[in-house]
Amino acid sequence: MKSVAMLSLLVLSCSYAQATPQSSAAAASPDKQNATVSGTVLRLDTGEPLKKARVGLQNHGNAETSFFELTDDQGHFVFDNVPPGPYDLQVSRNGFVDAQYGQKKPGAPGAILTLNPGQRVTDLVFKLWRAAAISGHVYDEDGQPIAKAEVIVYRASHRAGKEQRASNGQISTNDLGEYRVFDLAPGRYYLAVNYRIFDYRGLASREAQERFNPGYLPIYYPNTSDPGKAEPISVGPGDDVRAIDFLMRPGHLATVSGKVINTVDPTAGAAVRLEPRNAGLGDATPQLYDFTKKDRTFSIHNVPPGSYNAETAWQDPQARDWQRVFRPLDVGSDDIENVVLTISRGIDIAGHVTWDGSPPRDSHPMIHLQPPNERGFVVFPQSVKTDGTFQFKNVPEGNYRLVLLGSDSARPFYLKSVRYGSASVTDTAFAVDPGSDASFDVVLSTRVAQLSGSVLNSDSLPAVGAKVVIIPDPPHRDLTYRYLSATTDQNGKFSINGIAPGDYKVFSWDSIEESDERYGEDWFDPTWLKPYEAKGQSIHFEESDQKSVALQSLTASDTP
């Protein structure tokens, strides 16, 4: 009971999502080994109960074990007969900011709720912020309202150039040029506007419509076409920020044209698109694409200045394999012509997996090829068959690393060694060249290391919902798949599995915002991490190590 009382005192100190487990004399669950979770959802500003709030309880490691409830007239919810284990608990309601158990502020990660057999976690209290909104108008150069302009919202990041689109879906202006962005959590936001004419009456073809487009550059608040001069808008809980108006002005947009050469099937058509290379505000561009004509040429009009990848892909209808080609382009004020994208048959690479240790039951490793310094992959992942074999088909010429798909912390094995032909390429890139008949020899080991421990906050109390990250020491900082993380539970405890042997540093932050997975979390950025470097705890792992640490959480808000 002493630990339960301490937990109640700890979580009551959280102003955003309070959760205070304590004993209850309620009736036992049908299965005494299962747990009960109940609580109340309230408005933070008035304390009134929120009816019909959606409460989700999902097993942290198994999404199939999940429960959902709606709160009643008094804001109450209850989950009976919940199997023991770690869970994520989230609350959402229209007009309010989503909350997670153990969350200290909007955008910060929640804590894992660990349920023991027969445990009763009752009287949880979630106090939801009112969501904010931003509204205004979009006008053309003559002061006339523009309908169907796209308004894009970015959540500001403390890393310049790493702003991320807020998940509000596509927002378009109405016939009066009005827009309204809603369901915003408190914070700072950038706004951008795109406008392209696609439905001009009397122009049937898409190309004709694009040529008619007067050429409006993307514009950023406060009415600048330079993303470097954009300014954020700050909103608080329940704020209704109005009269954020935009004035679109015509500007020169370029045309990118060229040809797709398909050496496998010269008669096949293809789609070509321009994908922005830079993250942050610079990707505030409309969809830029075209389909090749009979002569296999393409023309993409109204391209704003910026850095792009010209991309095309084609699927072999018989082999069902994809060939992908991309070429980097820097677009300025001049048109770009004669861009050639050549689709050719790639290289087939076979491989074999050997296990060091007993293969885990019901485990099907997935392997993919990843270009160096890229978070995504361009070669579809391959599943290892029961006999240990796998094969990549149509691998484009280039440099790659062989990587296991998925989170290392979610699997009981690690990538111990990789040979490509006669070369060892475990942690290094290798070249795939035409005419090569090299194959992969891969060793997967089940002798993973494990790190567990506890985190205390600045008040020497268990840190609920703190993020714990292990980061490889140089020269392995560029191996993003070796970065592993976990979130502390209601007792400040955490566990990270799937650790490969090596030298690491362990950090914990008390309230760090979760980032868009396209661009990675903050700790991947050396500049962001540098102020904390000396505060990390060094640790070395051998195979099958089980180590424990006690950490003090750092304050992410102190980031320069």
Side-chain angles (χ1 to χ4, degrees), residues 267-287:
T267 65
V272 180
R273 69 172 182 174
L274 297 181
E275 184 72 15
R277 288 208 307 269
N278 51 340
L281 301 182
D283 74 347
T285 55
Q287 293 184 357

Side-chain angles (χ1 to χ4, degrees), residues 525-536:
D525 187 338
T527 302
W528 187 91
L529 184 64
K530 186 176 180 179
Y532 304 108
E533 189 71 50
K535 300 179 181 180

Side-chain angles (χ1 to χ4, degrees), residues 37-41 71 74-78 121-126:
V37 177
S38 63
T40 307
V41 180
T71 56
Q74 300 303 313
H76 296 317
F77 67 90
V78 59
V121 180
T122 62
D123 296 333
L124 302 181
V125 179
F126 289 87

Side-chain angles (χ1 to χ4, degrees), residues 80-96:
D80 288 319
N81 213 29
V82 180
Y87 286 86
D88 298 312
L89 182 58
Q90 183 171 359
V91 179
S92 61
R93 175 68 158 78
N94 289 340
F96 294 83

Side-chain angles (χ1 to χ4, degrees), residues 244-268:
I244 302 299
D245 297 338
F246 292 88
L247 181 62
M248 307 293 291
R249 294 183 176 88
H252 178 75
L253 301 178
T255 295
V256 176
S257 59
K259 188 172 186 177
V260 174
I261 300 175
N262 190 329
T263 62
V264 183
D265 183 358
T267 65

Side-chain angles (χ1 to χ4, degrees), residues 407-426:
S407 170
D408 287 352
S409 59
R411 58 171 173 257
F413 54 86
Y414 76 95
L415 187 64
K416 183 171 184 176
S417 68
V418 181
R419 297 192 70 85
Y420 181 59
S422 59
S424 175
V425 294
T426 307

